[in-house]
Amino acid sequence: MERGELELLIYLITSAQGLPGEPRIYGSIRLTEAAYKLCRILLEREPENEKLKALAERLEQDKGKALSQEDDFWDMLRDVSGMLVECM
């Protein structure tokens, strides 16, 4: 297992442990952060993958809006879901 993959696994498990006491939106924030981290790991292997770069950039751009602009956050998730189809 590569270092980035191990870090992601640690992040996911510790995030799951913290969910019971957190507000509802925090789970989505953590999963979005994990998706961004995974994109970065994949880009280390495929640095020329423009579709993956665009996906990571879109995640990075609006992942912090979950608490202040929740509608924009959900719009971003819809957008990146469509972008995922293009990555396949």
Side-chain angles (χ1 to χ4, degrees), residues 58-82:
R58 183 71 173 106
L59 284 166
E60 177 67 14
Q61 176 184 344
D62 286 339
K63 67 182 181 180
K65 292 184 176 180
L67 297 175
S68 61
Q69 299 167 298
E70 194 171 334
D71 288 340
D72 290 343
F73 177 75
W74 296 119
D75 288 343
M76 178 271 298
L77 287 178
R78 276 190 293 279
D79 290 348
V80 296
S81 293

Side-chain angles (χ1 to χ4, degrees), residues 38-52:
L38 181 55
C39 284
R40 303 305 310 166
I41 290 168
L42 294 172
L43 281 168
E44 288 176 10
R45 293 183 191 158
E46 298 180 51
E48 285 86 37
N49 187 327
E50 294 300 323
K51 292 178 181 182
L52 192 55

Side-chain angles (χ1 to χ4, degrees), residues 6-50:
L6 179 59
E7 288 175 2
L8 182 57
L9 185 58
I10 291 168
Y11 180 82
L12 290 170
I13 292 171
T14 57
S15 293
Q17 285 177 318
L19 286 176
E22 292 182 346
R24 174 186 63 84
I25 191 76
Y26 280 22
S28 296
I29 294 169
R30 289 178 183 266
L31 289 170
T32 302
E33 180 63 26
Y36 174 74
K37 288 179 182 214
L38 181 55
C39 284
R40 303 305 310 166
I41 290 168
L42 294 172
L43 281 168
E44 288 176 10
R45 293 183 191 158
E46 298 180 51
E48 285 86 37
N49 187 327
E50 294 300 323

